[in-house]
Amino acid sequence: MLRPADLLAWYDRHRRDLPWRARAGGTADPYRVWLSEIMLQQTTVATVAPYYERFLARFPDVAALAAAPEEAVMHAWAGLGYYARARNLHACARAVAGQGGFPCDVEGLRALPGIGPYTAAAVAAIAFGVPVVPVDGNVERVAARLFAIAAPLPGAKPLIAAAAARLGADAAARARPSDFAQALFDLGATVCTPAAPACGVCPLLAGCAGRRQGIAAELPRKAPKPARPLRHGAHFWLTDGRCVLLRRRPPRGLLGGMSELPGTPWRAERWSTAEALVHAPMQAAWREVGEVRHGFTHFELHLAVFSARVARIEGEGFLHPADALAAAALPSVMRKCAAAVSAPPAAPARGSPRAGRAGRAG
Ligand code: SF4
């Protein structure tokens, strides 16, 4: 029989010490819970922790975040990826500051920018003690195994969510909704792990149908994913030895508002060198110095990286000190391009060594 009280007792002994978590018996700060939940989407705890600490030092509360310029927020976020989240984070902070604090129920939270059903449930349960079970990847896995749900994801999501809600409806879980949600997170992260669940030390072993049926490690099953399409582009490192030319991406859309090296649009066909150099920011002795590969959620990107050193930089954009790129709001894919430039040089660019004056890339 499944006994949520056993999970809570286990949590009291084994809870993880995380920077955004309240102490045992303490009250969670909704700002910290919300911030950590947004950062943790698609990202691991180990990656998020240092970003979270820096972000919190810079924006200690929702009023400070709301009052900050968008550029400062994007800069503090740079490297975490999924930049629409940073823009929504900022918009949400402004909405929350405008209404004098976070709403304390799921519906009110759900109405805020960038807060989906999961995050609304997580903040409501953890910060406000609302008896709901937020279903993230860890909880999905634990619930699928406990109830031996063999139907594949994503179709099985409603079944799994209903199973998690059944678990949360138990009286012990309802008495401690914040701890119960976090106990499920911790069980999934440390015991009921994806490849090798440590059932021998699991507090829910006695009631686990997946374990009983010998299928726990295979769950949750997943429907095969369609292959991600491949896109190609080229970007240009233009320096005078001190500065490098950067430009700002459009405010909306993928990597919106972030800085980047000037480059071509990204498209399905590979760019020939001659085609790519049409998009170079100025005429120069361009050298192809490497290729960068980067995975976005919906597509894979391969970028040719070109480099040139000139006496005087021309072209649209702005100059940034080349030795202080850590301070620029560059997304990870552009940091990879910058790193490719410092790798040993490749052969001169195919085709003409001097590019014609370029138009601007889109
Ligand atoms: Fe996961 Fe095993 Fe515990 Fe079942 S018994 S919840 S499969 S760790």
Side-chain angles (χ1 to χ4, degrees):
M1 181 186 165
L2 273 175
R3 287 174 38 88
D6 292 344
L7 177 62
L8 285 161
W10 170 85
Y11 180 69
D12 290 339
R13 290 194 306 276
H14 299 290
R15 69 201 297 276
R16 288 178 296 171
D17 189 15
L18 299 174
W20 43 85
R21 235 176 218 181
R23 295 210 174 132
T27 306
D29 174 354
Y31 174 66
R32 292 174 179 228
V33 174
W34 162 72
L35 180 60
S36 65
E37 288 297 340
I38 301 289
M39 286 187 166
L40 284 165
Q41 290 167 15
Q42 318 278 344
T43 314
T44 63
V45 165
T47 303
V48 163
Y51 279 96
Y52 171 84
E53 301 278 18
R54 282 198 297 271
F55 206 93
L56 200 67
R58 191 150 179 203
F59 312 112
D61 53 37
V62 75
L65 181 55
E70 183 170 281
E71 170 67 19
V73 177
M74 299 306 283
H75 178 249
W77 189 273
L80 272 175
Y82 302 92
Y83 296 94
R85 281 188 287 153
R87 284 194 301 277
N88 280 330
L89 185 90
H90 197 210
C92 184
R94 290 183 166 168
V96 169
Q99 55 189 256
F102 282 91
C104 58
D105 61 342
V106 174
E107 294 71 28
L109 288 160
R110 185 78 180 80
L112 292 167
I115 296 199
Y118 163 74
T119 307
V123 176
I126 298 170
F128 297 113
V130 176
V132 289
V133 178
V135 183
D136 70 348
N138 281 326
V139 177
E140 206 162 60
R141 184 170 60 257
V142 171
R145 290 172 174 176
L146 286 175
F147 293 92
I149 297 171
L153 289 169
K157 277 182 181 289
L159 267 179
I160 293 176
R166 275 207 302 285
L167 210 54
D170 176 272
R174 287 181 69 83
R176 297 174 59 187
S178 175
D179 288 343
F180 188 67
Q182 295 176 90
L184 281 172
F185 295 164
D186 285 11
L187 189 76
T190 64
V191 176
C192 194
T193 52
C199 302
V201 296
C202 177
L204 299 177
L205 171 64
C208 181
R211 163 75 177 178
R212 208 162 42 242
Q213 295 176 24
I215 56 171
E218 305 159 23
L219 302 180
R221 296 199 173 116
K222 289 181 181 153
K225 275 189 186 165
R228 282 186 303 181
L230 177 60
R231 292 191 197 164
H232 297 274
H235 284 265
F236 300 93
W237 174 272
L238 180 61
T239 183
D240 58 5
R242 289 180 304 110
C243 291
V244 63
L245 182 67
L246 299 179
R247 67 180 181 183
R248 191 93 56 223
R249 290 180 63 85
R252 299 287 165 246
L254 184 66
L255 308 179
M258 303 297 293
S259 299
E260 68 174 6
L261 303 177
T264 66
W266 300 339
R267 69 180 192 188
E269 305 82 44
R270 199 176 171 83
W271 294 82
S272 70
T273 298
E275 279 181 307
L277 290 180
V278 169
H279 294 266
M282 67 177 287
Q283 186 175 13
W286 290 104
R287 292 173 65 84
E288 189 171 349
V289 295
E291 185 188 55
V292 160
R293 298 182 173 202
H294 191 77
F296 289 101
T297 314
H298 299 299
F299 65 95
E300 181 73 20
L301 182 64
H302 291 184
L303 297 177
V305 182
F306 292 84
S307 171
R309 182 167 174 149
V310 293
R312 181 185 159 85
I313 294 174
E314 293 169 22
E316 291 171 36
F318 59 93
L319 300 183
H320 191 92
D323 60 358
L325 280 184
L330 282 181
S332 301
V333 62
M334 287 298 136
R335 293 195 184 279
K336 287 185 187 175
C337 290
V341 175
S342 52
R350 293 164 276 155
S352 164
R354 295 183 73 81
R357 177 63 179 96
R360 295 287 301 153

